[in-house]
Amino acid sequence: MNQAGRIQQWSQRFNLRLLILVLAIGLGVNVLGVGHLLVAFRWMLSPADLQLLVQLGGLFLLVLIPAAGIYSLVSEFAFWEGWLQGLPTPASLFEPAVARATTHDCFLVYLDGIHQLERDHPPRVSDFLALLEQRLPADTLLVRGLETYTVMPVALAEDAGSAWFWRRLFALQEHYPNSLVQLIAAVLVQANNVIKVGISSDRRYGPILNYELALKISLRLAEAGFRPDRGCRIALMGYSGGAEMAMGVADYLRRITRAPVSIISFCGVFSGNQVLHQLAGITMIVGSKDPVAAFGRFAYPGRSPLLPLSNWNQSLSAGRIERCEIAGMNHNGIHGPFSDAFRLRVIKAILAALQR
């Protein structure tokens, strides 16, 4: 093998390791949950149960997660080639018959984290968004209920190629009597979402996924009354992995809608690899005790200060990125941004970012 071939092979191995590492960190909280569950029910696990658990774990790591990743890439390619229908062309998005005029000047689009399973957000997230919506200015419309980790305007359970699998998985998660099986099913759904985050940050396959998701968001904006000729602005609000998806779609959304686009991330895990220099601004809301979001800076080399010419560091040097730290806040749970202890402080920071 020549030198160029060896370099390419090493690069592919490095990207694979990076994706696995991000996957492991993104599911770290769930892994801790498995550990606590095993400790609590240790006396109930026979050697046969442990053997079954190891087999399920091997199937999960070696078969199901790679299969989900391959299917994600294949489905995006199929849509790109025109084999799948569901999203309109950009030219037809904002025609009068599609988009109704609105009185709102700002559209705040919420992109959820990897815990999202369907259009409806978990109760704690729904309560947070309802509280935020009450405090938004009258000229700002909150666009919620977007499925961040599918490019088609349908739920995972309605996807043409994999609906049979996701419906069975959701049934296991909700109705199976064994709590360990329910947890494994939930982690598998989140693994699919983490894979989408990894693809979005990849320079080879990310542009396809990000463009398709930008089209999906544009369709929702058109349905909500957005019109390019009204001078409206768009703010993408991403939590956890949703921040990476916001970074990925922002520049495509700016071109499609011909409107200024800004990003507000809280507890965000993102690469900063995308085109950021033409955005209206980026606000990072971070918790001082959030190890998951802090790891993103080390997982993605482009955010390292050792690479001053990266997209992220150039935007940082130009003053387009603002950082707001909330003392004591963690990534999720009772000290997370959706908890009673911190959600009002997060909402206040979001409102301040919208004013800027």
Side-chain angles (χ1 to χ4, degrees):
M1 181 182 298
N2 58 27
Q3 183 68 15
R6 284 195 296 270
I7 293 175
Q8 183 178 9
Q9 187 178 37
W10 177 88
S11 175
Q12 291 173 349
R13 286 200 301 267
F14 175 79
N15 287 328
L16 178 61
R17 290 170 184 163
L18 181 60
L19 180 58
I20 293 174
L21 187 60
V22 173
L23 176 64
I25 294 300
L27 300 178
V29 175
N30 295 301
V31 172
L32 291 176
V34 173
H36 290 306
L37 193 63
L38 290 178
V39 171
F41 295 98
R42 179 173 52 188
W43 58 276
M44 298 177 58
L45 295 175
S46 65
D49 292 330
L50 288 174
Q51 182 180 3
L52 177 60
L53 182 59
V54 171
Q55 292 174 347
L56 287 174
L59 178 67
F60 174 71
L61 292 173
L62 300 178
V63 178
L64 296 181
I65 290 180
I70 293 171
Y71 177 77
S72 296
L73 292 175
V74 170
S75 61
E76 289 159 23
F77 176 78
F79 178 84
W80 187 260
E81 291 295 318
W83 302 341
L84 300 176
Q85 302 297 324
L87 292 177
T89 60
S92 63
L93 273 171
F94 303 108
E95 294 177 350
V98 177
R100 55 183 178 83
T102 181
T103 58
H104 296 97
D105 296 325
C106 178
F107 290 79
L108 179 62
V109 182
Y110 177 65
L111 302 178
D112 211 347
I114 63 168
H115 58 242
Q116 186 179 18
L117 306 181
E118 54 188 352
R119 285 192 182 94
D120 295 332
H121 302 290
R124 58 193 176 90
V125 179
S126 296
D127 293 342
F128 173 88
L129 293 176
L131 198 60
L132 171 63
E133 195 168 21
Q134 293 173 7
R135 288 163 168 75
L136 286 176
D139 65 344
T140 301
L141 178 68
L142 176 63
V143 180
R144 54 187 293 183
L146 268 164
E147 289 196 305
T148 310
Y149 305 98
T150 62
V151 296
M152 301 301 292
V154 296
L156 275 176
E158 300 169 5
D159 183 81
S162 59
W164 60 273
F165 174 75
W166 295 115
R167 287 173 183 171
R168 284 163 177 77
L169 198 64
F170 291 156
L172 286 175
Q173 180 183 346
E174 295 175 4
H175 305 298
Y176 198 80
N178 189 305
S179 58
L180 184 59
V181 173
Q182 292 180 351
L183 183 62
I184 291 175
V187 171
L188 184 57
V189 174
Q190 295 190 23
N192 169 76
N193 296 345
V194 173
I195 288 172
K196 295 294 176 55
V197 172
I199 293 174
S200 175
S201 66
D202 189 278
R203 291 184 178 275
R204 298 163 298 179
Y205 311 111
I208 298 177
L209 171 64
N210 294 330
Y211 175 70
E212 292 167 355
L213 183 56
L215 280 178
K216 179 178 177 177
I217 295 173
S218 299
L219 180 60
R220 280 295 302 276
L221 289 172
E223 293 170 350
F226 176 88
R227 293 291 297 271
D229 56 356
R230 285 189 51 85
C232 302
R233 61 190 178 98
I234 301 168
L236 299 173
M237 179 175 64
Y239 162 68
S240 189
E244 170 62 35
M245 310 307 283
M247 299 279 179
V249 305
D251 190 62
Y252 294 105
L253 190 63
R254 179 188 65 83
R255 299 184 189 186
I256 293 172
T257 61
R258 303 186 298 280
V261 176
S262 60
I263 295 175
I264 304 171
S265 76
F266 58 101
C267 301
V269 182
F270 54 87
S271 64
N273 292 336
Q274 295 84 7
V275 178
L276 306 174
H277 67 278
Q278 296 193 35
L279 299 184
I282 299 173
T283 300
M284 298 170 53
I285 303 170
V286 299
S288 64
K289 295 185 177 180
D290 185 351
V292 179
F295 178 79
R297 183 174 180 181
F298 301 98
Y300 294 105
R303 291 178 61 189
S304 169
L306 299 176
L307 299 174
L309 297 181
S310 68
N311 289 343
W312 176 258
N313 285 322
Q314 288 190 55
S315 294
L316 192 63
S317 300
R320 286 189 289 269
I321 300 173
E322 294 216 13
R323 188 176 187 273
C324 172
E325 182 174 303
I326 298 180
M329 188 173 73
N330 208 321
H331 195 74
N332 52 18
I334 60 173
H335 298 293
F338 304 116
S339 66
D340 294 338
F342 289 100
R343 62 182 181 182
L344 286 178
R345 295 171 65 180
V346 174
I347 289 174
K348 183 179 179 180
I350 292 171
L351 295 176
L354 285 174
Q355 290 179 357
R356 286 194 296 268

